[in-house]
Amino acid sequence: TVHEFRWWLLGVNLLTAVVMGAVALPMIRRRVPMNYVYGARFPKAFKSDDLWYRINEHAGRVIMRWSVVIAVLTLVGLFVSDPRVLTALACAPMLYLVGCLESYLYARKL
């Protein structure tokens, strides 16, 4: 039913925001050394340790910001049951793609 889907959707969005926020913290704190698995792995980031940490700190802050936005939108979704709002909330995690673009453009400027 729509009611069950609403709760499932809100739970998934909130979990996504919490997990992505947790992933962002080590990046913000510059605790992620250069590697090919975890972090903002733009070609420019691999040119030096300084660039790696600057780009990853920025990317972590962007991820954290979008995590807060998604969490707030999800909490608003607790009080709204309009199917159109639920459809929009289903797309909320795609906001991280905006963050990817922000981080890429930042890396390009360096």
Side-chain angles (χ1 to χ4, degrees):
T1 67
V2 173
H3 184 70
E4 291 169 350
F5 173 73
R6 177 176 172 238
W7 286 107
W8 179 85
L9 174 65
L10 295 176
V12 167
N13 277 4
L14 195 56
L15 181 64
T16 300
V18 168
V19 168
M20 291 300 288
V23 163
L25 281 175
M27 294 169 68
I28 293 169
R29 294 180 179 156
R30 295 181 173 221
R31 300 266 196 260
V32 180
M34 193 182 298
N35 69 83
Y36 291 95
V37 178
Y38 175 29
R41 297 174 312 276
F42 303 119
K44 193 143 192 190
F46 290 103
K47 294 199 182 274
S48 73
D49 282 339
D50 178 58
L51 285 173
W52 173 266
Y53 286 111
R54 287 172 62 188
I55 291 168
N56 275 274
E57 179 183 359
H58 180 270
R61 290 184 188 285
V62 168
I63 292 168
M64 185 61 75
R65 184 178 66 234
W66 285 113
S67 293
V68 169
V69 168
I70 290 170
V72 169
L73 289 173
T74 299
L75 294 175
V76 168
L78 289 171
F79 304 101
V80 181
S81 59
D82 185 329
R84 292 171 294 193
V85 172
L86 293 178
T87 301
L89 281 174
C91 299
M94 286 192 261
L95 290 171
Y96 288 115
L97 294 174
V98 175
C100 290
L101 179 60
E102 287 178 74
S103 297
Y104 174 75
L105 293 175
Y106 173 80
R108 238 174 81 179
K109 282 193 308 186
L110 294 178

